[in-house]
Amino acid sequence: MKSAIRVTAVALLLSAAGCLESEPLGVPVRGRMHDGDELVQFSLLSALAAGDYAGGAPLQQLLQFGDFGVGTFDRLDGEMIVLDGDIFQVKADGTVVPRDGAGATPFATVTFFEADGQLDGIAASSLTELDHQLDRRVPNAKRPVAFKVTGEFAELTLRSAPPQKPPYRPLAEVIDQQQVWTRQNVRGTLIGVRCPAWMGTLNVAGYHWHFLSDDRTIGGHVLDCRVEGARGAYDECSSLLVRLPDSKSFDAADVSSVSDADVEKIERQRGKEDAH
Amino acid sequence: MKSAIRVTAVALLLSAAGCLESEPLGVPVRGRMHDGDELVQFSLLSALAAGDYAGGAPLQQLLQFGDFGVGTFDRLDGEMIVLDGDIFQVKADGTVVPRDGAGATPFATVTFFEADGQLDGIAASSLTELDHQLDRRVPNAKRPVAFKVTGEFAELTLRSAPPQKPPYRPLAEVIDQQQVWTRQNVRGTLIGVRCPAWMGTLNVAGYHWHFLSDDRTIGGHVLDCRVEGARGAYDECSSLLVRLPDSKSFDAADVSSVSDADVEKIERQRGKEDAH
C-alpha cells in the first residue's frame, strides 16, 4: 500500500507534461492506464450487508472510475444514481438531490458507459420479465454488463432507505425501514448492472436497477416496473476492479455472513407500499 | 468493450506529449492511472479448474500489470514465477526456462511488489506452519497480500504439470499427471499470494506459493518446505483487478463447478513423489 511514495521518471514526465489530473488517485506506475472498460466497485456487498455503512470512498473519486452506476451514501442515506457523470441521491422520502463531489459512499458500482449494442422495442409487464428479456437479448453470462433503458414507464415501484445511526445493524435487518412508493407514467431511465454468478457476494449477482426521471424529480431503487416501447443500450465490461475501503470498520466486518437469501431480501424484496 | 475507439482530448494530449507506452493496453480514459497497489489476476481460478487452458493473456501484457506473482502457461505448460519483472517457466521435468514476452497465460496473479513491511527470523518445519506464522504476523485477512520469503531452504517439495492437449479435462483430473520432487539445501525465494476468503473461487483462497532458486535452476509450485532464518517482506494490496479473457472457451466454461475440495486438490495435494 505504499504506492503513494512511488515516484518514477514516468510520473515526473507526466507531471511536467501536464498529463495528470489536478487530484490524481495515485502516482502513476509505469505509465499504465485504466482502459475504461472495467466495472468498478467500491467495497464489497458482503461488507455493506454486515453493516459497514460509515464513510467510504469520496464521491469525487467515484467519478474518476465511472460516469454511470448505482450505489448508496455514507450511513446508507438513500439510493445513488450516477448518470452521464452526475450523481443523484434519492432520499427515503423520495426527494431527489443532485450531489457534487462532497461526501462519500460505502458501496457503489460504476463504469464508463460505452454502448456495445442497442436494444429497441423493450416491453415488459414486470421487472422480472425485463430481466429475462435482457438475459435472452444479451446472453453473455460471464461478463459484468451495464444497462441503460429509457422510455415512458407506465408504472414504477421504487424504494429508498433512511440514514442509519451507529452501532450499525446488518442490512437485512435495517432494510425493513425502507420506504416504498409507486409512480405512474414517468419518462426516465433505468440504470442497471448485471453481475455474473461468479461474483458471488462481492456484489449483487444478477440485475440491480435504479431509476431516474428525465426531470430529475423521481428516482430510487427499482422493485418493479411496467413499460412498453422503451429503448436501451448495454456495455459489456472486460474487467472487474474491486477497491477495498481503507478503514478499521471494513477490516473488522464479518464479510462471510451474508447469504443469498439476505441478498434477495436486500435487493429485491417488495416492502410495505406507502403512497407518498 | 469499445474502449479501443474511445479517443479523448486527454489521449491526444498524452500521445502528443509522449506519455503513452509504445504498446498501450488501451486508450486512456480521463487521465486516470492504475495506482500499482492492485492484485491483478488474469481469468478466474474456476475457469482454469474447468479446463480453460488455451491461450490467454499475452505475457508482455502481464508484465504491464505486475513484476511479481504466480501463474501457469498456455496449455497448462508448467508453473509460472514472476520475480523482479522477469518471467520463469518451470516445466514438468523440473527444468527452469526464462521467458520473454512471447506466449500467453490462461491464469496468473501479479502485483507490483512494494514492501509494506519486513519479516525477519522466519522458521517453519512445514509449509502449513509457515502459513500459520504469516497469519499471525500479518493478520489482515481482508486484503490480498503478496509475500516474498528468501533464505536457505533445508527441504523443498515442488511440483509442476505437463502441457495438456484438447479436449481439455478439468484441472482436478489432470493434476494427477503432476510431477513432484524434493530438493535439499537450496537458496532461493518463495513467491506467495494470500487471497482473502471473500475472493471465493475467483482465485486460490489462502496461500499459494511458488519457488525459484537464486541460481534460477530449481523452481516450481511449492507443496512443502522446511526453512530457518529466512527473511521476508509483504505487500498488502488495496484493490483487486480481475481481467477476463476475451475468448469463446472462457465464455463457454462452466465456472460454477469448482468446489473447495477441488481447489484443495489442485493447489495443495501432495502427489506421488518421484525423485528426478
Side-chain angles (χ1 to χ4, degrees):
Chain A
M1 299 185 68
K2 289 200 179 157
S3 60
I5 61 167
R6 181 196 277 265
V7 178
T8 66
V10 172
L12 296 171
L13 170 64
L14 282 166
S15 192
C19 297
L20 293 180
E21 297 191 327
S22 55
E23 298 202 13
L25 292 176
V27 177
V29 175
R30 311 194 183 194
R32 188 172 56 77
M33 306 192 74
H34 283 272
D35 64 10
D37 198 31
E38 297 158 356
L39 188 77
V40 183
Q41 68 173 73
F42 292 77
S43 192
L44 304 172
L45 179 66
S46 52
L48 187 77
D52 191 23
Y53 309 144
L59 298 183
Q60 192 171 32
Q61 189 182 78
L62 181 79
L63 292 176
Q64 294 179 285
F65 287 86
D67 59 7
F68 178 94
V70 296
T72 186
F73 295 87
D74 180 23
R75 296 174 298 130
L76 207 70
D77 188 9
E79 306 284 349
M80 176 192 288
I81 291 141
V82 185
L83 185 59
D84 299 330
D86 293 321
I87 300 177
F88 298 89
Q89 177 181 23
V90 183
K91 301 255 194 181
D93 66 1
T95 313
V96 179
V97 182
R99 294 288 301 254
D100 59 17
T105 174
F107 185 71
T109 308
V110 297
T111 189
F112 285 105
F113 196 96
E114 300 261 307
D116 288 320
Q118 304 295 325
L119 298 161
D120 290 329
I122 296 173
S125 62
S126 70
L127 192 60
T128 303
E129 193 180 318
L130 177 66
D131 292 355
H132 291 165
Q133 184 178 148
L134 295 175
D135 277 345
R136 288 191 300 273
R137 295 174 73 167
V138 185
N140 191 313
K142 229 36 109 24
R143 293 170 205 288
V145 183
F147 288 94
K148 195 187 283 191
V149 176
T150 300
E152 169 94 16
F153 289 78
E155 181 143 341
L156 285 155
T157 306
L158 303 168
R159 79 112 193 265
S160 186
Q164 300 298 306
K165 288 178 187 162
Y168 296 119
R169 291 188 295 134
L171 191 48
E173 292 180 24
V174 306
I175 206 69
D176 292 337
Q177 299 170 22
Q178 72 179 351
Q179 299 295 311
V180 179
W181 60 94
T182 59
R183 291 289 180 271
Q184 284 79 34
N185 307 318
V186 184
R187 261 207 83 78
T189 301
L190 289 177
I191 290 93
V193 175
R194 183 176 79 194
C195 292
W198 61 259
M199 284 175 63
T201 56
L202 272 65
N203 208 310
V204 181
Y207 292 86
H208 186 174
W209 294 107
H210 287 192
F211 175 82
L212 186 65
S213 65
D214 282 0
D215 65 6
R216 277 40 175 163
T217 62
I218 297 170
H221 178 103
V222 183
L223 294 178
D224 206 358
C225 76
R226 190 155 49 83
V227 69
E228 283 183 23
R231 299 167 58 89
Y234 65 92
D235 178 11
E236 284 188 5
C237 298
S238 58
S239 303
L240 169 70
L241 176 63
V242 180
R243 290 181 60 90
L244 303 173
D246 183 18
S247 70
K248 287 182 178 169
S249 61
F250 174 76
D251 287 344
D254 177 6
V255 301
S256 66
S257 62
V258 67
S259 67
D260 290 346
D262 285 342
V263 173
E264 187 65 23
K265 184 178 181 194
I266 292 163
E267 295 302 330
R268 302 195 179 97
Q269 187 192 48
R270 189 160 171 165
K272 178 171 164 287
E273 295 196 18
D274 99 335
H276 60 268
Chain B
M1 298 185 69
K2 288 200 180 160
S3 60
I5 60 167
R6 183 197 275 265
V7 178
T8 66
V10 172
L12 294 171
L13 170 65
L14 283 165
S15 193
C19 297
L20 294 180
E21 297 188 329
S22 55
E23 297 201 13
L25 292 176
V27 177
V29 176
R30 317 203 176 184
R32 190 171 56 78
M33 306 192 74
H34 284 271
D35 65 9
D37 197 33
E38 296 159 355
L39 188 77
V40 183
Q41 68 173 73
F42 291 78
S43 192
L44 304 172
L45 178 66
S46 52
L48 188 77
D52 191 23
Y53 308 143
L59 298 184
Q60 192 171 31
Q61 189 182 78
L62 182 78
L63 292 176
Q64 294 179 284
F65 287 86
D67 59 7
F68 178 94
V70 297
T72 186
F73 295 87
D74 180 24
R75 296 173 299 132
L76 208 67
D77 188 8
E79 306 285 350
M80 175 191 289
I81 291 140
V82 185
L83 185 58
D84 299 330
D86 293 321
I87 299 177
F88 299 89
Q89 177 181 22
V90 183
K91 300 256 196 181
D93 66 0
T95 315
V96 179
V97 183
R99 294 287 302 254
D100 59 16
T105 175
F107 185 71
T109 307
V110 297
T111 189
F112 286 105
F113 196 96
E114 302 259 309
D116 288 319
Q118 304 295 324
L119 299 162
D120 290 329
I122 296 172
S125 63
S126 70
L127 193 60
T128 304
E129 193 181 317
L130 177 65
D131 292 354
H132 290 166
Q133 183 177 149
L134 295 176
D135 277 344
R136 288 191 300 272
R137 296 173 72 167
V138 185
N140 190 313
K142 226 41 105 24
R143 293 169 207 286
V145 183
F147 289 95
K148 194 187 282 192
V149 176
T150 300
E152 169 96 16
F153 290 78
E155 181 143 338
L156 284 155
T157 305
L158 304 168
R159 78 110 194 266
S160 186
Q164 301 297 305
K165 289 178 188 162
Y168 297 120
R169 290 187 296 133
L171 191 48
E173 292 179 25
V174 306
I175 206 70
D176 293 337
Q177 299 170 25
Q178 71 179 352
Q179 299 295 309
V180 180
W181 60 93
T182 59
R183 290 290 180 271
Q184 284 79 35
N185 307 319
V186 184
R187 260 207 82 78
T189 301
L190 289 178
I191 291 91
V193 175
R194 183 177 79 193
C195 292
W198 61 258
M199 284 175 64
T201 56
L202 272 63
N203 208 312
V204 181
Y207 292 87
H208 186 174
W209 294 105
H210 286 193
F211 176 82
L212 186 65
S213 65
D214 282 359
D215 64 6
R216 278 39 176 163
T217 63
I218 296 168
H221 177 105
V222 183
L223 294 178
D224 206 358
C225 76
R226 191 155 50 82
V227 69
E228 284 182 24
R231 300 168 56 90
Y234 65 91
D235 179 12
E236 284 188 4
C237 298
S238 58
S239 303
L240 168 70
L241 175 63
V242 180
R243 290 181 59 91
L244 302 173
D246 183 17
S247 70
K248 286 182 180 170
S249 62
F250 175 76
D251 286 342
D254 178 6
V255 301
S256 66
S257 62
V258 67
S259 66
D260 290 346
D262 284 343
V263 173
E264 188 64 24
K265 184 177 182 195
I266 292 163
E267 296 301 330
R268 304 194 177 98
Q269 187 192 47
R270 189 158 171 166
K272 178 170 164 287
E273 294 196 19
D274 99 334
H276 61 268

